[in-house]
Amino acid sequence: MRKNIVAGNWKMNTSFNEAIELAENLKSLENTFDKNTEVIVCPPFLYTKTLIDIFYDSSIKVGVQNSASNEEGAYTGEVSAKMIKSINADYVIIGHSERREYYCENDEILNTKLNLVLKNNLKPIFCVGEQLEDRKAGNHFDVIKSQIINGTFGLDKEQFANIIIAYEPVWAIGTGETASPEQAQEIHLFIRNLISEKYGNNIANNISILYGGSVKPNNAKEIFSKTDVDGGLIGGAALNANDFKEIINSFN
Ligand code: 13P
């Protein structure tokens, strides 16, 4: 059966010393984490190797927040999937709404990134989510469907089985407003059904689908209790070790 996963996306936060302190705090709390939940932290690129070294004897996995759409070469400022693999990171967030919106990453670019990440044996966390206008206009199902199909359905079965999906409604990110557990469940089930139609029941039932958008210790339990919600992608609350721990321990 599919894994429960809680991943922290630190975004562009923390100084180097703060990142070390947060990682060490998490490590010291690790023995209190739910053993059945995969815990991932995605720090800013610059701190990735340091965190991998801190967590070398721990079950906490390290991911990154982006990777390049080219393999290697003259692409100033970019970090390739091959480089990420070479320091033994495990996960890569692809298609976060902030990347889609501020860095013009469209479905085609994201599909290229996804393929490079998989080619380098990294595990992608592929993000989808509608804007507030889409939801108000009742277009959210269409938006999610096209992001899933255009972003990921070019993969073959074997590749697809290795991805994690994160549903992050843009209107719930950093706003303090969450999707209701029912709204999250509705979209997660919709995504799982799309996957089932394309790749079959077995793959659909084994893919973890995470919810992201203002998940906090006081709402995580209710959201994670939904059948098709397999955990969370956490922004703000991942910057506090105790809050993150409480979220990790929010599965029934
Ligand atoms: P917040 O939890 O801060 O709303 O961020 C969610 C998110 O974007 C995680 O990727």
Side-chain angles (χ1 to χ4, degrees), residues 9 11 96 98 168 172-175 212-216 233-237:
N9 174 9
K11 307 193 180 183
H96 192 281
E98 289 148 18
E168 299 203 309
I173 295 176
T175 59
S214 299
V215 177
K216 307 286 176 203
L233 183 54
I234 319 300

Side-chain angles (χ1 to χ4, degrees), residues 202-221:
N202 194 27
I203 290 199
N205 285 330
N206 281 295
I207 291 279
S208 297
I209 306 179
L210 315 183
Y211 169 80
S214 299
V215 177
K216 307 286 176 203
N218 64 6
N219 59 25
K221 250 198 176 91

Side-chain angles (χ1 to χ4, degrees), residues 7 9 11 42 64-66 92-100 105-107 110-111 114 124-130 143-144 146-149 151-152 163-170 173 191 208-213 232-234:
N9 174 9
K11 307 193 180 183
C42 303
V64 296
Q65 302 169 19
N66 183 28
V92 183
I93 299 173
I94 299 284
H96 192 281
S97 66
E98 289 148 18
R99 301 293 319 172
R100 291 178 187 263
E105 295 192 356
N106 58 26
D107 291 333
L110 296 176
N111 188 253
L114 191 59
I125 302 174
F126 189 83
C127 303
V128 296
E130 80 282 3
V143 170
I144 301 300
S146 89
Q147 288 174 344
I148 293 279
I149 291 179
T152 70
I163 78 174
I164 296 164
I165 306 270
Y167 168 56
E168 299 203 309
V170 179
I173 295 176
I191 294 171
S208 297
I209 306 179
L210 315 183
Y211 169 80
L233 183 54
I234 319 300

